[in-house]
Structure formats: C-alpha cells, structure tokens
Amino acid sequence: SCTTRNRTMSGKFWGGSDSEEEEEEDFFSDEEDGEEEGNKPDASRWVQGAAYGSDDEDEKREVRAKTDRLNDQLEERIDSMRTYIQDNDWKLIAKDFDDLNKIHQKWLSAWGRNAKEPAPLYIAFLVELQDFHEKCYGDKKYIKDNKLRPTDKKALNGMQQKLKRNNAPYTSAMNRFRERKAKVDAGELEEEDLIEEVTKDKPINDDADQDNENEEKEFEWTVAAVDEQLTEIIASRGRKGCDRNSQIKKLEDLLTHAQNNFQSVQILLHIIGMQFDTTSMASHMGTKVWKRCIESIRQVMKIIDAAPSVVKEKNSVDSQTPTIDVQNSIFHFVERLEQEYFKSLQDNDFQKVASYVARMRDVTLLIELTEEVEKLYQKFNDTEAVVKAILIQLKYRHQTIQLNENQGNTSSIEDSICLGMATATEEEIETLAKRCFKLGDERQKTHAMLYFITFLVTHDKYAKARNLMLMSHIQDSVTSADVETQILFNRTMALIGLGAFRAGNISDCHNCLVDLYSSMKYKELLAQGTTRHADKGAEQEMIESRRQMPYHMHINTEILETVYFICAILLEVPNSAANAFDSKRKPISKILKKYLELNQRQIFAGPPEAPRDYFVAAAKALIRGDWEKCCSLLFSLSVWQYITDSERLKKMVQQKIKEEGVRTFLFTVSVNYDSFSAERLSSMFQLDNNEIHKIVSRMIVNDELQASWDNESGCIVMHKTEPSKLQNLALQFSEKVVNLAENNEKLLESRNFHNKNENRSESQGARKVRNTQQRSRHTREVVSRRVAHKQN
C-alpha cells in the first residue's frame, strides 16, 4: 500500500501515467463501486473544492451520495441516446441501451428497489424508445429516406428482441406511465407531475433517517448557528456542480429552525431566489414551482404584517451573512412571477385546450398576490411599486377572455366568457386607471389609458373609447415610444376598428385599420407572429418571440381582414365611380385598387377561392350595381361563424351595400339618362322611397350629383352639366397634349440655356487668346527695336 501511495503522489504532482491514477482510484473506492461507472476518472473526488471551481483549501467540499451520482448517469445516458435517435444511429442506440440497463440495475440496488419500482426517468425513456422503434421497424420508406447503413439495419432488427426481453418486467410500470401521459394530454394532470409521481424517488434507509433525527435533537440551534448554516448554503449558490434543488431543501429545513422573524424572512427570500435560478431564461418556470414562489411571498408578507420592523432590520455587526433588501425584493419577485406566467402561456401548447385553460385560470393567483403587494407598498408610501402593481392588474383584467364554445352562435359577449377567469366592472377598471394617471409617469399613463380604452371597446362602448383616444393624443407621440407601447397601441386601434364596425361607422373603422394593412405586416404589428429575415440574428429572434402575445389574447386576423375589406369596398367603389376620369384622384384603399387592377389584367378570371378573391369579386359586382351578388359573396365566407351577433351585422352590411350600390349606379349611368324614377330605383335596390330620397338629396347637397327633384312625378331630373364619356376622354387627351408641350418647352429652354453658356465660355476663351497674341506681338516689337538701337 505504501508503494501504491508513493506512486500516486509522484503521478499526481510529477506527471504520472494513467495506470497509476487508476490504481489510486481503485485504492480509495468502495467495494460496491468496484465496477467502472464512467469513461473518465472524476478529478473532483481528489481535489478539494474542485466541484465548485474554487482554490480555497479551507472550504468544505460537498460529498455527493451514490444515488445522486447514479441519477446523473441515467440522465446523461438517456440524453445521449436521444441524440442518437435524432441521428437515426441504431448501432449506437443498441450499444448505449445495454449500458443504460446496467446503470439502471445499479440504481435499483442503490435505492433498495426491485423491478416493480423502477426509475421514473428510465420508464419514461423506455416508452419513448419503444414507440419510436415500433414506428420505424419494418418501415421501408423510413429506411430509404434516412439511408440507413447495413449495420444500422441489423441493429434496428436486433432491437426488437432486446426491447421485448428487457421491457417484460416493467410492463405494468410502462402502462401506468402511458395512462398518466394520456391524462396530461387531456389536461387532467400537469406535465411537471408526469415523471415525478410514477414512483417515489426516496431511498429506503430507515437507519440513516433515525441517525439524522437523533443528531438534530442533540444539536442546539441558535441565532449564530442558523446564520452560519445560511452563510454556508448561500456561498455554494451558483457554483459549478451545485444541485439547486438540494440547496432549496436545505433552506426549507433551515427555515424550521429560524430563531426570529428576520431570519425567517431572509431564508424565504433566498428560497424564492434559488427557485428562480432553477429556471433558464430561454424557458418558463414550472407551474408547481411558480405556485410555491407565490406561497413563499405570501408567507413573507404575513411576517411583515405581524412585525413591520423586519423590513428595515439588519444583521448584527458580528454576522457575516449577506442580507436581502426586503422592500425592493418583494416586488422584484412579483414582476418575475408575472413574466414567468406570461412566458408559460407563450410556450404552452394551445391545442391542448384543457391544460391551457387550466393555466389561464392561474391568473387569479397572480392578481390576488398583486393586490396584496399593492396594499403592502401603500404602507411603505412607495408610489413607483404601487403603480407597477396597478398596471399588472390592468394587464390581466382589462380584456375579457372569450372562448368560442358555441361556434359564434351567441347573442352577447357575456355568453362566451371563460368561467374561472378574472373579470372586472367598468368602475373597477376606471378606478385603477385614474390612480395610475395620478401617480405614474408618461409611459405608465399611456399604458393605463390604452388598457381602459380596450376594456370599453370589448364591452361595446365604442363612442366613449373613441373620445378617450382622441382626447389623449396618444397617436401623435406613439411613433417615438418603445416597442411594447407601440404593440399595445396597434392592438387597441384594431379593437377600436372592430368596435366602429359593430357600431356601423364604416369610415372610422377603415381609418383605424388602414395603417395595419398598408404594409401587410399586421401579424408583426399585433405581436401575433414573426417574419424571418436573413439579417436577423438569434438574439433578435429571441427578443421578438418573447414579445408575442399568448394564443388566448390573439385578435382574429381573419375577422380583421374581412372587416377591413368590407369597409374598403363600401368606400372605394363609389369613390372610383364618382372620379372615374380624374387621373389625379387619390384612392381611399390602395390595396383594394391594386387587387382590382391585377384582376383586370388577367385574361381569364376563375371562380373565387381565397378570401381576397371573394373581396375582389364582390367589389366588381358592386361596380356593376349587382348588390345581391356582392352580398352573397361576402356572406359566404366562413369567418362569420366566429363573429358574435353575426346576423345583426350581416343586416347592417347588407343595408350599407344597398345604399352604396345606389350611389355607384347613379355615378356610373347618370350621363346616359335624362331622369330617373324613384320607384324604379327603390325596386332595383329594395329600399324605401324615403331612403332613396334621402340618399339622392344628400348627393345633390354635397354637389356629387347635378340633378333636382320633380315632386309631381317623383323623378330625378338630371342636369346635363357633366361631360359624356367621349368628352371626358377628349379632355384627358388634351391634358396629356398640354403636358407634352410643356415638357418640350422646358427641354428646349434647358438646351438653349446650355448653348448660351457654351457660347459665352467660347467668347471668353477667344478674347483671352486675342489678348495674349497682342501682348506677345507688342513684346516682339519692343525687343526688335531695342536690338536695332544697339546695332546702330
């Protein structure tokens, strides 16, 4: 033994061989761990503090139990096999499957169990592997598409017998797991409880538990002892190899030995912080952990209510335990809980309706906690935290959640409210908004106003919502606001547009929705979808994905599109008929005009298929004056079944189409007639004589139609002041000729100006040459005279 130890020391410090390190590992290992448990030797077992990456020799290292190490080995092996499954590498799957079974046998012996109580993770993976193998085994298309090698084909066939022999003892456990999985899919069970509740993950060791109880009875807990234990647990937080769940359990045990309220609050806050550490920023917090955090915060607030001095209390001078600011931490944790709840709704699968609705109903816990926190911070006179708490309440209470349980056959909004969700009255929402107006900054006031307007619109109070939006002037400064505010503004404007449509204000509805559909990026503007671009990085895509709204808060884009194009048809078709020969007119709806022009260029136009084809066909029918065809095309869309009170809205739309059909017909054919009979128009468009009289009189007053009423005959007498079609074409031709002449004159003027500049530059150059020649001639004459004078 001395020789072995000397070799080990020399190998450790002077670069010994690998065989010497293996001898050292065999020397210090237990008899039960004689078999090799991993491919690489664990250096952290010999170096003090290596598990945490620390060089402090006085620091205590944590010795992990054999059961914990086997749990980690199971997880690692299962993760590696899942990677091989994705790569369709059946050779490595078969090899690792044998190693996984060996590790599981060690796990059973370490935990004192038999085949009736296997490891939950092991059973879950067996079910997954068996389902995948049944899907792939014998599937020639799978083998051909994935181009399996001969060795993989052989391993795939061999896994049939391996799985059959290995899974036989675990049949009952696998069946129980499948039942629980079906309950999770049905929403009767939470996904976090799927694996944990299959079997109990506690080793059978009654003697050890009894020894621990005896030690606790013998140990006397004091304030200093609790501080020391708390400091030791906190020091290991965030280090490499630290098991956060075990640290939380230690803190929960330490909470039972707290000697005063201050220690209880500090331990609870550390527990909440460590529970947030267990969740990565890319994923959401589990429902069970989220609810435990809420309970911990409520415990802290109960202690504060009983002893308010805890908020400003600090540790003694001798204590080295780091303290947490109670007043700032509580609301910080509430904000994190709200973010985690929002993320959980984003990540949850909305197709699993039962589980999604169960998670939606958890919002009542968040709202109740926020109300309690608001009351607490009112005692502290912390207005900033109070306003933030009010905004969280407005965020989740301003919009009534609707489930389309009756497929849109409801007569009022209240018939489809999701039972169990938080609801509020107008007085409650208005009170919260006014408090935010009084205490918040500009951004918070804007958010509160938009939440209140959204609440009014969703409850069919369009007039009040429109007046608030106009008085607030939010639309003037929203372009310089942050992205979250712009998204909230866009969603509010979309809902105001829907409210205007329900109220029959077609022009207001079009004005509210035209900005959304001008760029055709309405899903991004409403935070209901993203577009992929090559210049976007992974970080930018992550930020945009976290801005997306949960599915139950989505605004139906099909309804928005239908409402927008109906309004565009009712406004653009009469406008284009009234200004058919005006080349300088600006279209009301550029998108509809573009679609109509594209349709006119087509040689053959088939029957409509997509919703936009229906809109174009309806617009063309209204241009011809065929209002019945227009109505039948619009009402045949399937989107009407998702609109509440659809029958009333259909009657309103039909009435508007008739009225605009009369105006379009008069604009189109007025130049071809000397007079119109009101009764004839009434029978054509199925409108009363009074309605026809009102429509025509409005057109005459607005100077849209040059005509007058003949009261004796009840006819509309046309005044031939408007040019005919041939005259309009002649006027357009003359305008084009005038424009051509003006362009030619401008071109000629610019050319003459250019020639003048050239002539001017040429004359200046000739003058310089002439002067130079004269000076040189004068110089030569002077020189010649001097030379002649010298010669004489």
Side-chain angles (χ1 to χ4, degrees), residues 237 308 338 398 443 571 729 788:
R237 180 180 176 184
E338 187 272 328
H398 79 282
R443 181 179 182 274
L571 296 174
L729 293 174

Side-chain angles (χ1 to χ4, degrees), residues 495-547:
L495 292 173
I496 290 176
L498 294 178
F501 182 77
R502 294 177 65 87
N505 296 328
I506 302 300
S507 180
D508 292 348
C509 176
H510 182 270
N511 293 335
C512 291
L513 300 180
V514 67
D515 291 335
L516 286 176
Y517 283 88
S518 59
S519 62
M520 299 306 293
K521 294 183 179 180
Y522 49 89
K523 288 189 176 181
E524 283 191 48
L525 296 175
L526 298 175
Q528 295 180 186
T530 57
T531 56
R532 293 186 177 181
H533 296 287
D535 56 346
K536 281 187 180 179
E539 184 178 357
Q540 182 66 21
E541 289 184 357
M542 177 64 70
I543 293 173
E544 290 185 1
S545 64
R546 283 305 170 201
R547 291 190 190 126

Side-chain angles (χ1 to χ4, degrees), residues 291-540:
K291 291 181 178 179
R292 283 204 298 262
C293 288
I294 288 181
E295 293 299 325
S296 300
I297 292 176
R298 282 178 172 166
Q299 291 181 23
V300 172
M301 289 193 293
K302 285 181 182 179
I303 296 174
I304 293 175
D305 289 338
S309 60
V310 174
V311 178
K312 298 182 179 180
E313 188 176 347
K314 295 183 179 180
N315 271 340
S316 60
V317 180
D318 299 334
S319 177
Q320 298 180 355
T321 305
T323 59
I324 298 178
D325 188 357
V326 179
Q327 183 172 342
N328 294 328
S329 298
I330 292 177
F331 191 78
H332 172 70
F333 288 143
V334 172
E335 284 185 318
R336 283 290 307 274
L337 286 174
E338 187 272 328
Q339 295 172 5
E340 294 297 333
Y341 175 75
F342 196 79
K343 286 163 61 177
S344 68
L345 290 174
Q346 289 176 328
D347 299 340
N348 209 335
D349 188 3
F350 64 88
Q351 296 180 352
K352 300 177 181 178
V353 179
S355 60
Y356 190 86
V357 172
R359 186 56 177 155
M360 284 166 55
R361 292 193 176 107
D362 289 338
V363 73
T364 54
L365 298 175
L366 179 63
I367 292 175
E368 291 172 359
L369 177 66
T370 309
E371 291 175 349
E372 295 174 7
V373 170
E374 179 194 348
K375 295 177 183 177
L376 177 66
Y377 278 90
Q378 284 178 357
K379 298 178 181 178
F380 299 152
N381 294 325
D382 191 345
T383 57
E384 183 179 356
V386 170
V387 173
K388 290 181 179 179
I390 292 173
L391 285 176
I392 292 176
Q393 296 178 52
L394 284 172
K395 181 178 180 179
Y396 292 100
R397 296 182 69 183
H398 79 282
Q399 192 170 3
T400 303
I401 307 303
Q402 301 181 29
L403 296 178
N404 194 18
E405 297 171 353
N406 299 325
Q407 296 296 323
N409 296 324
T410 56
S411 59
S412 63
I413 293 178
E414 288 75 17
D415 292 338
S416 58
I417 292 177
C418 176
L419 298 177
M421 291 296 297
T423 57
T425 61
E426 182 180 349
E427 291 76 14
E428 293 175 349
I429 298 296
E430 188 173 1
T431 302
L432 291 173
K434 286 181 178 179
R435 292 178 60 193
C436 192
F437 298 156
K438 183 178 179 181
L439 303 174
D441 55 16
E442 290 301 323
R443 181 179 182 274
Q444 292 168 342
K445 291 178 183 178
T446 301
H447 281 220
M449 176 63 76
L450 293 174
Y451 288 142
F452 185 39
I453 292 172
T454 302
F455 178 85
L456 293 173
V457 169
T458 53
H459 287 77
D460 287 339
K461 296 185 178 180
Y462 163 72
K464 187 175 181 180
R466 178 196 58 192
N467 295 336
L468 284 175
M469 177 62 77
L470 294 176
M471 288 189 296
S472 62
H473 297 284
I474 298 175
Q475 61 274 15
D476 298 337
S477 59
V478 72
T479 54
S480 59
D482 58 300
V483 178
E484 184 179 355
T485 304
Q486 292 182 10
I487 290 172
L488 184 57
F489 175 79
N490 293 335
R491 293 175 59 81
T492 305
M493 290 300 296
L495 292 173
I496 290 176
L498 294 178
F501 182 77
R502 294 177 65 87
N505 296 328
I506 302 300
S507 180
D508 292 348
C509 176
H510 182 270
N511 293 335
C512 291
L513 300 180
V514 67
D515 291 335
L516 286 176
Y517 283 88
S518 59
S519 62
M520 299 306 293
K521 294 183 179 180
Y522 49 89
K523 288 189 176 181
E524 283 191 48
L525 296 175
L526 298 175
Q528 295 180 186
T530 57
T531 56
R532 293 186 177 181
H533 296 287
D535 56 346
K536 281 187 180 179
E539 184 178 357
Q540 182 66 21

Side-chain angles (χ1 to χ4, degrees), residues 735-748:
E735 289 180 359
K736 291 181 179 179
V737 170
V738 170
N739 292 332
L740 180 63
E742 289 179 355
N743 293 332
N744 288 334
E745 289 179 359
K746 291 179 181 179
L747 182 62
L748 183 62

